[in-house]
Amino acid sequence: MSQEASKARSPEGRPGRVRARTGFIFRPVNLLLLLPFVGLLIPAFYNKATPRLGGLPFFYWYQLVWIPISVVITLIVYRATRGDR
Amino acid sequence: MNKVEFSIVLVLFVVVTVMGFLAARWRRRDTLHDLNEWGLGGRSFGTWVTWFLLGGDLYTAYTFVAVPALVFSAGALGFFAVPYTIVVFPLVFFAATRLWSVAHRQGYVTAADFVRGRHGSNTLGVAVAITGIVATMPYIALQMVGIQAVVEAIGIHGHWPLVIAFVVLAAYTYSSGLRAPALIAFVKDTLIYIVVIVAVIYIPYKLGGYGKIFDAAAKALPNKPSHGSITLKSSQYLAYSTLALGSAMALFLYPHSTTAVLAARSRNTVKKNMALLPAYSLMLGFLALLGYMAIAAKVTPVKGTNGKPDNNTIVPVLFDHQFPSWFAGIAFGAIAIGALVPAAIMSIAAANTFTRDIYKPYFRPNASPKEEAQVSKIMSLVVKFGALLVILLVDVQFALDFQLIGGIIIIQILPAVVLGLYTRWFHRWALLAGWAAGIATSIWMLWYVPNPLTNHKHFGGAQWALSHIGMNTKAAIWIGIPTVLINLILATLLTPLFSRLPRGVDATNADDYHAEAGDPRVAVLPSSSQESGATYRSER
């Protein structure tokens, strides 16, 4: 996600004469951000009424549980990439 | 009319009105006379203000009313709001921070500003700007649906409370700019959290627990016109996941999301908020379940101003039946204020977009910062009154149809904005062609979606049946996903073909995308206080 293929100005700094510069700031920890997509975007995996939790069918509490999980994941990535520029 | 409920809503409304006007003095620098001040609150909001502002912005009153209404009528499908608001934050985690950095380095106020600077194309910038404005206008109108639902549940008939609320809102947005909704968002969200926490404990307690609520819903849903159920049918899987993913992709492309992101004080503030905002999703998840509580409590929707039962009233009616009047009044106040905050931010965002990306490049290239702010202030009035007139003179259904279209066309700016944050490989004309093709196919596909429940032949929903392309299935797909793919494919194929056409000049530099507050060359604004400088350091 943080793969970069942005352009830098040429050393002369003349606008319009730009060349490609590919810089990578990629950390494996970023891949954690993919987990909520896998966990939530394939409803066939969790489209069940049972087991219930506190009266809530599985379909509902399973998705609600993903909220704290995704907060933790995002916080981990936030802390790991905080210094990145 | 319930006098207790009405009085409490009125008191809350007066309180936020006073706050809205006083907000002009909140952390003010010497003047409100440029867009950084009026339109972005001085770009000075820290973690907590940004959290409330983005929360107040993204989780609107319409969401609070419409999501439970969808669960009430269609069952499990309405719960898409939960995966949608979970995946949105990992999805935009890096893109939003890059946009913040480049916007601060280059002084961009809107996403269209960035597109114009990055791709060196006024035309592409204006295409992005118009898409944003067209998508935002009906969204503002829908906030009024939230207020109207409350008004009807209190037992007042007519549109006058709505008109007064919007005129007052327009007045303090004009004078205070983005500071008004930022300050009011504290009240809105505090009230909403209290109401939701009480509702999800107290109402199930009265109704005999969540088990009974779901049992009642499982029994009642198949007999409703949309034949819902408490779990998805296998033909709904594709609709559910594409709706969640597509809505997430669209959310941060709306101008009002960009506005709240760019108003943050630092890159780090934005990043931290991506981790903290899902707290609102938990609230939204429980709010969605109010739809089932309404089924279990045998709520019948109130007739709307068009004489038909309006499902959007089920949450207010549920509160009216289940809570004592004084608490129902607080809940109604929360919903009404919940409509004012996003309506203010949306109108500011649309006005900034008009000023910076249409007015300035095409009509007044030499407009001063003061003139920009003045034009934006006037446009914020025009946008709000335009939305109000649509609701009063045309029809709520028109706004609903338009919002449906808006949610799908806004995703068509994704290649120019989001891919633009990472690469300049795409040719500006290829991006423009992809955008045009994406919008054209979206509208064409939407035209062929009927809604048998409302007797609509066209624009009846955003789910396109796969049987259109000869597949023998009941499955449907959210239109934004295939059309943004067409957009991307076309932009990719045309880029090599256009290689001989002149490319625009890129106004941005590679290191702009990682800039943090306090770095050299980040637009330096006069510091409002010593304290803000200290927070930069402590937040890193």
Side-chain angles (χ1 to χ4, degrees):
Chain A
M1 246 180 188
S2 61
Q3 174 185 350
E4 242 183 89
S6 46
K7 294 256 180 176
R9 277 182 203 280
S10 60
E12 303 88 54
R14 270 181 291 169
R17 297 204 51 162
V18 286
R19 67 186 163 81
R21 186 192 70 110
T22 313
F24 285 97
I25 301 185
F26 177 78
R27 288 157 173 271
V29 70
N30 294 355
L31 292 174
L32 281 177
L33 292 179
L34 293 176
L35 289 177
F37 294 84
V38 179
L40 287 163
L41 294 183
I42 311 168
F45 285 167
Y46 57 81
N47 187 41
K48 290 183 290 188
T50 51
R52 286 194 178 201
L53 181 71
L56 265 65
F58 183 76
F59 178 79
Y60 297 88
W61 68 258
Y62 170 85
Q63 294 185 77
L64 290 174
V65 162
W66 265 100
I67 297 172
I69 297 175
S70 95
V71 169
V72 170
I73 287 173
T74 324
L75 277 174
I76 291 170
V77 179
Y78 162 70
R79 294 196 78 94
T81 62
R82 191 158 39 166
D84 285 2
R85 303 298 282 280
Chain B
M1 183 177 99
N2 186 319
K3 289 210 174 84
V4 178
E5 289 170 359
F6 179 75
S7 315
I8 290 174
V9 172
L10 189 67
V11 168
L12 289 170
F13 182 74
V14 170
V15 169
V16 297
T17 301
V18 172
M19 287 177 76
F21 282 107
L22 289 180
R25 297 157 178 264
W26 181 38
R27 299 201 198 174
R28 190 170 66 155
R29 302 198 172 86
D30 29 333
T31 169
L32 276 176
H33 277 139
D34 74 51
L35 276 191
N36 286 318
E37 285 300 317
W38 183 83
L40 290 179
R43 297 190 189 243
S44 65
F45 296 144
T47 303
W48 283 109
V49 182
T50 303
W51 189 75
F52 278 110
L53 185 68
L54 266 169
D57 194 16
L58 304 179
Y59 300 81
T60 70
Y62 179 66
T63 318
F64 294 152
V65 164
V67 167
L70 187 60
V71 169
F72 176 82
S73 64
L77 191 62
F79 213 64
F80 86 95
V82 171
Y84 152 38
T85 56
I86 293 174
V87 298
V88 64
F89 300 106
L91 188 69
V92 302
F93 187 82
F94 289 109
T97 50
R98 288 177 77 91
L99 182 64
W100 184 92
S101 291
V102 70
H104 268 235
R105 215 16 115 60
Q106 299 289 339
Y108 297 145
V109 177
T110 66
D113 277 359
F114 163 70
V115 167
R116 194 176 62 240
R118 172 65 148 171
H119 300 288
S121 169
N122 278 348
T123 318
L124 194 58
V126 90
V128 169
I130 290 172
T131 314
I133 294 170
V134 168
T136 306
M137 288 285 290
Y139 216 158
I140 299 171
L142 284 195
Q143 300 310 316
M144 289 181 240
V145 174
I147 298 182
Q148 194 60 33
V150 166
V151 169
E152 280 162 17
I154 294 177
I156 300 171
H157 301 287
H159 281 117
W160 61 267
L162 190 62
V163 175
I164 293 173
F166 255 65
V167 169
V168 172
L169 173 73
Y172 62 71
T173 309
Y174 181 91
S175 71
S176 306
L178 194 65
R179 285 184 168 83
L183 200 55
I184 295 171
F186 282 96
V187 180
K188 175 222 156 189
D189 289 327
T190 310
L191 288 176
I192 296 258
Y193 275 108
I194 292 171
V195 168
V196 172
I197 291 167
V198 170
V200 301
I201 296 169
Y202 181 71
I203 299 178
Y205 164 76
K206 279 189 79 177
L207 296 174
Y210 278 102
K212 281 199 173 165
I213 290 169
F214 276 97
D215 291 342
K219 224 178 197 176
L221 278 167
N223 302 323
K224 285 180 175 273
S226 51
H227 307 294
S229 55
I230 60 163
T231 50
L232 295 171
K233 295 168 193 147
S234 57
S235 63
Q236 288 177 322
Y237 289 168
L238 185 64
Y240 190 80
S241 51
T242 52
L243 181 58
L245 177 64
S247 306
M249 286 161 73
L251 185 63
F252 269 82
L253 294 167
Y254 275 103
H256 59 272
S257 314
T258 316
T259 298
V261 166
L262 297 188
R265 171 193 290 160
S266 69
R267 174 184 171 88
N268 207 39
T269 305
V270 175
K271 249 188 183 178
K272 203 190 280 180
N273 262 285
M274 295 302 129
L276 298 177
L277 277 162
Y280 283 92
S281 306
L282 198 60
M283 178 179 73
L284 185 60
F286 282 107
L287 260 163
L289 298 182
L290 289 177
Y292 290 152
M293 295 179 204
I295 295 179
K298 301 196 169 55
V299 165
T300 46
V302 178
K303 280 199 176 98
T305 39
N306 60 2
K308 290 180 206 149
D310 178 3
N311 274 348
N312 285 327
T313 58
I314 58 133
V315 167
V317 172
L318 178 72
F319 288 167
D320 185 48
H321 288 184
Q322 300 292 325
F323 289 143
S325 289
W326 66 271
F327 195 75
I330 292 177
F332 292 170
I335 296 175
I337 299 166
L340 300 177
V341 171
I345 307 171
M346 287 167 189
S347 67
I348 290 169
N352 289 348
T353 304
F354 171 81
T355 308
R356 295 279 301 206
D357 307 301
I358 298 174
Y359 179 80
K360 196 172 180 198
Y362 286 96
F363 299 103
R364 295 275 298 189
N366 298 320
S368 67
K370 193 176 171 181
E371 182 180 340
E372 280 180 33
Q374 195 53 45
V375 172
S376 258
K377 288 169 87 170
I378 293 166
M379 273 312 289
S380 81
L381 299 180
V382 173
V383 165
K384 275 200 223 54
F385 288 113
L388 188 60
L389 285 180
V390 167
I391 292 289
L392 295 184
L393 302 180
V394 190
D395 186 14
V396 172
Q397 193 58 46
F398 180 79
L400 283 167
D401 291 353
F402 233 93
Q403 205 262 344
L404 188 76
I405 300 171
I408 286 172
I409 64 166
I410 193 70
I411 209 171
Q412 306 304 336
I413 68 172
L414 184 138
V417 178
V418 180
L419 296 185
L421 285 167
Y422 288 94
T423 174
R424 254 205 119 226
W425 181 81
F426 292 96
H427 194 281
R428 51 185 173 166
W429 301 123
L431 287 169
L432 193 67
W435 168 84
I439 290 196
T441 47
S442 299
I443 292 174
W444 177 75
M445 287 170 86
L446 283 161
W447 176 259
Y448 288 102
V449 181
N451 186 342
L453 298 183
T454 54
N455 269 328
H456 263 53
K457 282 202 181 100
H458 307 291
F459 299 119
Q463 300 288 351
W464 194 76
L466 294 184
S467 57
H468 281 299
I469 46 171
M471 291 173 78
N472 184 21
T473 167
K474 280 185 173 173
I477 189 165
W478 191 72
I479 291 171
I481 299 287
T483 56
V484 80
L485 283 176
I486 289 170
N487 178 341
L488 272 171
I489 291 167
L490 197 65
T492 310
L493 293 178
L494 288 177
T495 291
L497 288 179
F498 287 172
S499 60
R500 283 163 184 273
L501 296 173
R503 294 186 75 98
V505 178
D506 183 1
T508 68
N509 303 303
D511 62 345
D512 289 351
Y513 295 87
H514 295 279
E516 172 59 300
D519 284 1
R521 295 210 304 111
V522 171
V524 181
L525 299 156
S527 185
S528 59
S529 66
Q530 287 290 321
E531 164 254 358
S532 73
T535 321
Y536 281 163
R537 286 188 289 278
S538 66
E539 274 198 333
R540 287 252 204 101

